[in-house]
Amino acid sequence: MKKIILVRYGEIILKGLNRPVFEEKLMGNIKSAIYKFGKAKVLKSQGRIYIEPEDENYEFDLVMQRVTKVFGVVSVSPVWKIETDYEQIKTYALKMATELVNQYGYKTFKVETKRGNKKFPMQSPEVCNDIGGHIFENINGLTVDVHNPDFILFIEIRENSYIYSETIKGHGGMPLGSNGKAMLLLSGGIDSPVAGWMMGKRGVELEAIHFYSYPYTSERAKQKVIDLAKILAGYCGKIHLHIVPFTEIQLAINDKCPEDQLTIIMRRIMMRIAEQIARNSNAMALVTGESMGQVASQTMHGLYCTDSAVNMPVFRPLIGMDKVEVIDIARKIDTFETSILPYEDCCTVFVAKHPQTKPKLDKILLSESKVDFEPLIKTAIETTEVIVVRP
Ligand code: ATP
Ligand code: MG
């Protein structure tokens, strides 16, 4: 018997002729997510992936946790792989049931069998009955409940046979890197990490950019963004984080532009810088955490003005979501606790008392023409620091 990990994937099965490409990508992503935990073979067979440790002290639990975060993975199970030999199946089924009962104190169970190997002489119901009876007779106090059992013992009979009970859900989606690369505008808030995660889930590789206004915002605020990028990297693999010094630009906007337009102009300049850095990194789109109507700059008029600053697609995966829905995801992906740490962001330092909710593009352009942004933008990009953030 060998303890292995079974990985199930869903959506990419539907991708017709491209399926092998998606599968290869997923296998590659799983391999790079787990290589540091020890030696293991990653194999594909009949629409599943199997991770077979080759190392005595394999970090099983850590690998399972890590694999459930790989996009494209629907679920994983710790599995016992045995030869397709009925006596062995029976022996190990009882052994696993015994371990589960000892560990969790289960009182009821049922057996489910799938027979992928049609040459196997027994039918599935017969296997269920016989092995169910064998377990019932040998474990005191354990009874069968076919409707609502404490645990189900799954037996799959294929070329080899597999026994398992536990299944841990993944996030599904598409394998990362199957859908190009985008530049995420990452603030220290709740929304943008969630927006990045949602794009990653659709197979989009991410780089991130953060604007920071030292000394108006602190080192701790910057560290918070690095920490958020690190949590995202747990799903997406390493992330290049571009930290753009933004103080000069904010001071210039503050100095020369009408107060009620500060936020919109600031956001437009952020987008322009992000677009250039995106092009330099071969990213084809920008991603933000904006949601319709959430704050003054996120009205239809505001977003229209922001979008007009750039010539590449801007994705806003949270556009139709309420804050509560965003927070639910932030909790699920583990960014929430970091996001709510109090350190200030440049948007909260330079903020208008009454920002325009219906900015007009021609007026904004006129105000922008009062500042020579080009050299400021050039300097900001030249002095951008790039940090490689790893999970
Ligand atoms: P978040 O929770 O992501 O901070 P928010 O609701 O606070 O979003 P804004 O502050 O208006 O909204 O920012 C809107 C979006 O602009 C953010 O989701 C993020 O994508 C981007 N953004 C804002 N500030 C920064 C920053 N300092 N660096 C990088 N991107 C930023
Ligand atoms: Mg914010």
Side-chain angles (χ1 to χ4, degrees):
M1 185 268 288
K2 240 196 209 162
K3 291 188 181 182
I4 66 166
I5 297 170
L6 161 62
V7 182
R8 303 179 190 82
Y9 49 91
E11 187 172 356
I12 58 177
I13 289 181
L14 306 173
K15 296 291 167 192
L17 290 177
N18 282 332
R19 174 176 162 173
V21 181
F22 287 98
E23 286 176 332
E24 283 310 312
K25 197 107 228 162
L26 181 61
M27 300 255 291
N29 292 349
I30 290 175
K31 283 180 196 163
S32 41
I34 65 171
Y35 80 94
K36 68 173 175 196
F37 298 110
K39 256 185 99 154
K41 273 197 207 124
V42 179
L43 309 162
K44 189 181 71 178
S45 162
Q46 298 179 308
R48 266 104 172 273
I49 291 170
Y50 297 95
I51 301 171
E52 303 203 0
E54 294 183 304
D55 196 331
E56 291 256 314
N57 310 311
Y58 198 64
E59 300 271 14
F60 233 79
D61 292 342
L62 288 177
V63 171
M64 299 251 296
Q65 276 174 29
R66 184 63 192 85
V67 173
T68 52
K69 288 179 154 187
V70 172
F71 292 124
V73 170
V74 171
S75 65
V76 302
S77 293
V79 167
W80 290 1
K81 177 180 175 183
I82 50 181
E83 275 169 36
T84 294
D85 165 86
Y86 190 64
E87 281 315 308
Q88 282 208 38
I89 296 174
K90 207 163 159 173
T91 305
Y92 281 106
L94 175 61
K95 193 158 186 278
M96 183 179 277
T98 309
E99 284 190 10
L100 289 166
V101 169
N102 290 343
Q103 193 174 352
Y104 301 108
Y106 291 146
K107 297 268 182 279
T108 58
F109 80 108
K110 76 169 171 180
V111 177
E112 280 191 13
T113 306
K114 263 193 220 143
R115 197 176 54 126
N117 178 353
K118 298 298 172 203
K119 284 192 220 124
F120 191 74
M122 292 166 79
Q123 305 254 343
S124 301
E126 202 184 337
V127 174
C128 286
N129 281 338
D130 187 54
I131 293 185
H134 182 59
I135 291 172
F136 172 73
E137 279 162 23
N138 285 283
I139 302 181
N140 267 341
L142 186 68
T143 55
V144 175
D145 179 346
V146 289
H147 301 296
N148 191 21
D150 292 343
F151 73 96
I152 303 176
L153 197 77
F154 294 95
I155 299 173
E156 291 194 11
I157 301 168
R158 300 183 177 218
E159 201 172 315
N160 289 289
S161 292
Y162 304 90
I163 307 178
Y164 63 92
S165 174
E166 201 182 345
T167 294
I168 302 155
K169 275 198 166 157
H171 297 284
M174 305 292 296
L176 202 90
S178 60
N179 227 336
K181 181 157 79 178
M183 183 65 70
L184 168 67
L185 282 83
L186 184 61
S187 70
I190 297 170
D191 302 329
S192 42
V194 173
W197 184 85
M198 287 178 72
M199 295 306 291
K201 188 176 165 201
R202 297 312 301 164
V204 177
E205 191 188 330
L206 294 177
E207 291 198 17
I209 184 166
H210 177 68
F211 297 91
Y212 117 111
S213 303
Y214 193 76
Y216 298 92
T217 61
S218 64
E219 272 298 317
R220 285 195 307 183
K222 176 173 153 186
Q223 186 58 44
K224 175 180 169 184
V225 173
I226 297 173
D227 294 344
L228 285 169
K230 199 173 167 64
I231 301 173
L232 280 181
Y235 299 92
C236 302
K238 72 168 187 260
I239 292 180
H240 286 83
L241 173 63
H242 304 257
I243 309 251
V244 184
F246 205 51
T247 317
E248 293 306 317
I249 291 173
Q250 288 211 297
L251 291 174
I253 300 173
N254 248 22
D255 200 29
K256 304 263 173 45
C257 304
E259 206 224 356
D260 61 355
Q261 296 178 352
L262 291 183
T263 311
I264 271 306
I265 294 177
M266 179 189 78
R267 308 227 10 89
R268 283 173 48 86
I269 306 298
M270 280 185 178
M271 299 300 268
R272 277 166 66 179
I273 294 175
E275 180 180 32
Q276 283 196 36
I277 294 182
R279 289 198 196 281
N280 294 342
S281 310
N282 293 320
M284 298 172 76
L286 304 179
V287 178
T288 78
E290 289 159 312
S291 138
M292 186 59 79
Q294 195 188 82
V295 290
S297 61
Q298 297 175 22
T299 59
M300 184 66 86
H301 296 72
L303 295 175
Y304 179 85
C305 289
T306 312
D307 254 23
S308 308
V310 292
N311 283 310
M312 63 167 47
V314 180
F315 292 120
R316 300 180 168 91
L318 314 187
I319 196 70
M321 293 170 77
D322 293 341
K323 199 75 187 185
V324 191
E325 295 171 287
V326 178
I327 289 175
D328 275 352
I329 301 179
R331 284 190 199 281
K332 183 174 82 176
I333 68 175
D334 220 21
T335 53
F336 184 72
E337 295 300 328
T338 305
S339 287
I340 57 172
L341 293 173
Y343 318 124
E344 66 300 324
D345 179 52
C346 62
C347 303
T348 45
V349 177
F350 297 88
V351 69
K353 282 202 195 69
H354 301 289
Q356 286 185 3
T357 53
K358 291 190 177 176
K360 291 233 161 53
L361 186 56
D362 52 347
K363 299 237 169 71
I364 299 287
L365 291 173
L366 189 67
S367 305
E368 277 180 11
S369 70
K370 309 256 162 57
V371 186
D372 186 7
F373 280 116
E374 276 310 320
L376 293 174
I377 290 178
K378 191 161 173 275
T379 309
I381 292 175
E382 280 167 4
T383 50
T384 290
E385 175 194 1
V386 185
I387 302 176
V388 181
V389 183
R390 296 173 198 280

